[in-house]
């Protein structure tokens, strides 16, 4: 694996790879890597001839400065993990490298409805930050294929929209959520949970599974109330648990038995905010 810290060096190197007609796959991350991230590397290796991973904790997407400060970093372990999984390139830029003109007066993207609901509503500015960093990283790497996790369902929709808005020629791949054996979605944030919080945390998966098992035609409000109770009984402080149209993310209060729906949740175990989602099929 080759590690690049400078954009210009990575650009030069990738240009050469593109001349060799290799399809470039890209997996952007914020580090503290786990098997979920590695599943994206593996998906890229199946589809492309050359896989670039980036590790960059993007300050502009953190609406809560404490969350940014406490974001876990395990860089040496990450490098070994990526190397063991045959990643071709790791891009590890500094903040100045990604934002050479500083992080003021950044561009604004018209994300419409997508930014007004769920993560957009509870983390104001978050998706603008996601777009600001993704636009830069995509311009630097110019991948043929981009791999992101369904775990961040709304983020996938936002980045697909960004690709449309910026007319980039990158194929977007949504990869399934990798889970721990009890069902908890793998997340870098899980390492901040203490033993009791880790035990409670699985309730987010249980609540989503409950929705999937019990959804039926008609009003969804009572079902959602039951799912909220599962979370609250396990010490979760709720931002939201909702059922939405899987394609548009329009929030649904009733089900007609035909549309494809997804349930999405965000909730805190003490200071640690977890998100997860599940297709209702
Ligand atoms: P992050 O480092 O949390 O920003 O995540 C980097 C990428 O990995 C994003 O596309 C995430 O959606 C994806 N990801 C995070 N956790 C998982 C997981 N448990 N399974 C699959 N993909 C994941």
């Amino acid at each position: 694996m080759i590690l690049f810290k400078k954009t210009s060096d990575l650009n030069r190197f990738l240009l050469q790879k593109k001349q060799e007609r290799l399809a470039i796959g890209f997996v952007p991350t914020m580090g503290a890597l786990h098997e979920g991230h590695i599943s994206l590397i593996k998906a890229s290796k199946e589809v492309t001839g050359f896989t670039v991973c980036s590790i960059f904790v993007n300050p502009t997407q953190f609406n809560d400065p404490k969350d940014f400060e406490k974001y876990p970093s395990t860089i040496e372990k990450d490098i070994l993990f990526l190397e063991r999984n045959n990643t071709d390139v790791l891009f590890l830029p500094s903040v100045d490298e990604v934002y050479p003109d500083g992080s003021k007066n950044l561009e604004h993207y018209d994300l419409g409805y997508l930014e007004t609901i769920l993560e957009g509503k509870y983390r104001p500015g978050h998706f603008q930050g996601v777009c600001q960093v993704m636009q830069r990283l995509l311009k630097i790497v110019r991948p043929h294929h981009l791999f992101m996790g369904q775990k961040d369902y709304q983020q996938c929709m936002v980045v697909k929209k960004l690709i449309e808005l910026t007319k980039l020629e990158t194929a977007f791949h949504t990869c399934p959520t990798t889970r721990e054996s009890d069902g908890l979605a793998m997340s870098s944030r899980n390492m901040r949970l203490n033993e009791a919080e880790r035990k409670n945390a699985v309730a987010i998966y249980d609540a989503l599974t409950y929705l999937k098992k019990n959804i039926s035609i008609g009003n969804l409000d009572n079902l959602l109330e039951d799912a909220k109770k599962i979370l609250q009984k396990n010490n979760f402080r709720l931002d939201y648990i909702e059922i939405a149209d899987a394609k548009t993310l329009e929030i649904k209060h009733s089900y007609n038995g035909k549309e494809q729906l997804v349930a999405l949740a965000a909730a805190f175990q003490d200071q640690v905010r977890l998100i997860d989602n599940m297709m209702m099929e």
Side-chain angles (χ1 to χ4, degrees):
M1 185 173 77
I2 311 177
L3 192 158
F4 290 94
K5 291 192 170 180
K6 297 277 173 222
T7 304
S8 50
D9 293 341
L10 177 64
N11 272 154
R12 213 171 309 126
F13 180 81
L14 288 179
L15 209 64
Q16 204 183 319
K17 289 291 154 200
K18 282 170 194 161
Q19 276 161 4
E20 291 171 26
R21 294 189 163 273
L22 280 175
I24 311 279
F26 182 39
V27 178
T29 81
M30 299 205 295
L33 300 182
H34 49 69
E35 287 295 342
H37 296 114
I38 299 303
S39 74
L40 307 189
I41 301 281
K42 288 182 177 156
S44 171
K45 291 190 73 70
E46 269 176 31
V47 176
T48 70
F50 200 84
T51 295
V52 178
C53 175
S54 65
I55 296 181
F56 178 64
V57 185
N58 173 36
T60 77
Q61 74 186 66
F62 284 83
N63 53 316
D64 174 1
K66 267 199 218 132
D67 191 27
F68 177 58
E69 275 162 37
K70 291 198 173 144
Y71 200 83
S73 170
T74 57
I75 194 65
E76 275 151 37
K77 234 174 93 203
D78 292 353
I79 292 173
L80 290 175
F81 205 13
L82 289 172
E83 222 164 23
R84 265 210 313 276
N85 285 282
N86 306 313
T87 310
D88 298 297
V89 159
L90 170 60
F91 183 42
L92 195 60
S94 64
V95 173
D96 290 344
E97 199 61 27
V98 176
Y99 297 104
D101 301 323
S103 54
K104 291 212 171 79
N105 304 319
L106 295 172
E107 52 289 325
H108 185 272
Y109 297 87
D110 183 7
L111 300 172
Y113 171 74
L114 256 187
E115 206 180 359
T116 64
I117 45 152
L118 307 170
E119 292 301 280
K121 178 171 164 190
Y122 285 89
R123 299 186 69 188
H126 169 64
F127 286 131
Q128 290 300 320
V130 168
C131 287
Q132 285 148 2
V133 72
M134 282 306 298
Q135 187 261 350
R136 281 165 175 74
L137 292 173
L138 288 170
K139 233 169 117 182
I140 295 167
V141 180
R142 296 219 171 252
H144 301 97
H145 299 270
L146 173 64
F147 299 83
M148 297 186 79
Q150 191 202 313
K151 156 91 177 9
D152 298 276
Y153 194 94
Q154 197 172 0
Q155 173 171 272
C156 286
M157 293 182 68
V158 163
V159 174
K160 277 191 224 168
K161 179 142 191 170
L162 173 73
I163 291 173
E164 257 173 56
L165 288 174
T166 53
K167 301 187 168 65
L168 285 167
E169 283 184 23
T170 298
F172 190 93
H173 301 257
T174 306
C175 302
T177 303
T178 306
R179 298 182 179 280
E180 302 287 354
S181 55
D182 62 355
L184 177 67
M186 289 191 182
S187 164
S188 306
R189 288 189 165 89
N190 292 352
M191 63 178 78
R192 290 181 52 205
L193 299 169
N194 68 28
E195 204 178 320
E197 290 161 354
R198 170 63 187 84
K199 266 194 195 142
N200 289 333
V202 73
I204 202 162
Y205 172 74
D206 294 342
L208 294 169
T209 307
Y210 176 85
L211 291 176
K212 182 174 176 161
K213 277 195 184 137
N214 293 288
I215 192 164
S216 60
I217 293 173
N219 190 284
L220 296 170
D221 292 344
N222 287 342
L223 184 71
L224 283 164
E225 276 310 310
D226 290 346
K228 273 181 201 164
K229 282 184 199 138
I230 296 176
L231 291 168
Q232 282 156 352
K233 252 196 343 222
N234 287 281
N235 252 356
F236 265 114
R237 200 169 75 250
L238 207 66
D239 266 356
Y240 61 82
I241 183 159
E242 299 279 9
I243 293 177
D245 182 291
K247 289 201 184 80
T248 63
L249 276 193
E250 182 199 344
I251 306 295
K252 291 283 178 186
H253 295 282
S254 67
Y255 178 42
N256 66 13
K258 290 185 193 130
E259 65 236 289
Q260 200 185 18
L261 300 180
V262 58
L264 308 103
F268 288 85
Q269 279 293 326
D270 195 18
Q271 300 299 313
V272 184
R273 188 174 185 276
L274 300 178
I275 62 171
D276 198 356
N277 65 82
M278 194 177 283
M279 299 302 295
M280 297 289 99
E281 256 125 43

